[in-house]
PDB file of all heavy atoms in Angstrom:
ATOM      1  N   ARG Y1131       2.935 -69.429 223.392  1.00 90.00           N
ATOM      2  CA  ARG Y1131       3.562 -69.804 222.190  1.00 90.00           C
ATOM      3  C   ARG Y1131       3.911 -68.600 221.417  1.00 90.00           C
ATOM      4  O   ARG Y1131       3.089 -67.713 221.332  1.00 90.00           O
ATOM      5  CB  ARG Y1131       2.594 -70.762 221.428  1.00 90.00           C
ATOM      6  CG  ARG Y1131       3.221 -71.186 220.111  1.00 90.00           C
ATOM      7  CD  ARG Y1131       2.334 -72.320 219.524  1.00 90.00           C
ATOM      8  NE  ARG Y1131       2.548 -73.513 220.275  1.00 90.00           N
ATOM      9  CZ  ARG Y1131       1.567 -74.510 220.333  1.00 90.00           C
ATOM     10  NH1 ARG Y1131       0.506 -74.441 219.633  1.00 90.00           N
ATOM     11  NH2 ARG Y1131       1.868 -75.507 221.116  1.00 90.00           N
ATOM     12  N   ILE Y1148      16.466 -62.245 211.112  1.00 91.00           N
ATOM     13  CA  ILE Y1148      16.105 -61.880 212.441  1.00 91.00           C
ATOM     14  C   ILE Y1148      17.271 -62.341 213.377  1.00 91.00           C
ATOM     15  O   ILE Y1148      17.811 -63.382 213.218  1.00 91.00           O
ATOM     16  CB  ILE Y1148      14.846 -62.660 212.878  1.00 91.00           C
ATOM     17  CG1 ILE Y1148      13.695 -62.384 211.943  1.00 91.00           C
ATOM     18  CG2 ILE Y1148      14.428 -62.311 214.269  1.00 91.00           C
ATOM     19  CD1 ILE Y1148      12.503 -63.247 212.162  1.00 91.00           C
ATOM     20  N   THR Y1154      10.954 -60.522 227.584  1.00 86.00           N
ATOM     21  CA  THR Y1154      11.335 -60.476 229.074  1.00 86.00           C
ATOM     22  C   THR Y1154      10.192 -59.756 229.814  1.00 86.00           C
ATOM     23  O   THR Y1154       9.429 -59.031 229.293  1.00 86.00           O
ATOM     24  CB  THR Y1154      12.663 -59.658 229.257  1.00 86.00           C
ATOM     25  OG1 THR Y1154      12.466 -58.288 228.728  1.00 86.00           O
ATOM     26  CG2 THR Y1154      13.825 -60.308 228.546  1.00 86.00           C
ATOM     27  N   GLY Y1210       2.282 -66.984 206.190  1.00 84.00           N
ATOM     28  CA  GLY Y1210       2.037 -67.662 207.409  1.00 84.00           C
ATOM     29  C   GLY Y1210       0.922 -66.982 208.201  1.00 84.00           C
ATOM     30  O   GLY Y1210       0.660 -65.811 207.980  1.00 84.00           O
ATOM     31  N   THR Y1221       6.859 -71.101 224.997  1.00 90.00           N
ATOM     32  CA  THR Y1221       7.711 -70.315 225.950  1.00 90.00           C
ATOM     33  C   THR Y1221       7.139 -70.539 227.385  1.00 90.00           C
ATOM     34  O   THR Y1221       6.036 -71.162 227.553  1.00 90.00           O
ATOM     35  CB  THR Y1221       7.753 -68.884 225.606  1.00 90.00           C
ATOM     36  OG1 THR Y1221       6.386 -68.324 225.879  1.00 90.00           O
ATOM     37  CG2 THR Y1221       8.160 -68.630 224.227  1.00 90.00           C
ATOM     38  N   ARG Y1248       4.282 -62.991 216.852  1.00 85.00           N
ATOM     39  CA  ARG Y1248       3.008 -62.943 217.545  1.00 85.00           C
ATOM     40  C   ARG Y1248       3.068 -63.983 218.719  1.00 85.00           C
ATOM     41  O   ARG Y1248       3.646 -65.053 218.565  1.00 85.00           O
ATOM     42  CB  ARG Y1248       1.862 -63.381 216.641  1.00 85.00           C
ATOM     43  CG  ARG Y1248       0.494 -63.445 217.230  1.00 85.00           C
ATOM     44  CD  ARG Y1248      -0.559 -63.700 216.249  1.00 85.00           C
ATOM     45  NE  ARG Y1248      -0.522 -64.999 215.565  1.00 85.00           N
ATOM     46  CZ  ARG Y1248      -1.134 -66.059 216.044  1.00 85.00           C
ATOM     47  NH1 ARG Y1248      -1.715 -66.061 217.191  1.00 85.00           N
ATOM     48  NH2 ARG Y1248      -1.086 -67.160 215.276  1.00 85.00           N
ATOM     49  N   PRO Y1258       5.959 -55.134 211.869  1.00 52.00           N
ATOM     50  CA  PRO Y1258       6.573 -53.872 211.436  1.00 52.00           C
ATOM     51  C   PRO Y1258       6.712 -53.816 209.918  1.00 52.00           C
ATOM     52  O   PRO Y1258       6.575 -54.843 209.203  1.00 52.00           O
ATOM     53  CB  PRO Y1258       7.988 -53.954 212.031  1.00 52.00           C
ATOM     54  CG  PRO Y1258       8.241 -55.465 212.131  1.00 52.00           C
ATOM     55  CD  PRO Y1258       6.892 -56.073 212.461  1.00 52.00           C
TER      56      PRO Y1258
END
Side-chain angles (χ1 to χ4, degrees):
R1131 182 168 287 156
I1148 303 170
T1154 60
T1221 67
R1248 178 174 69 84

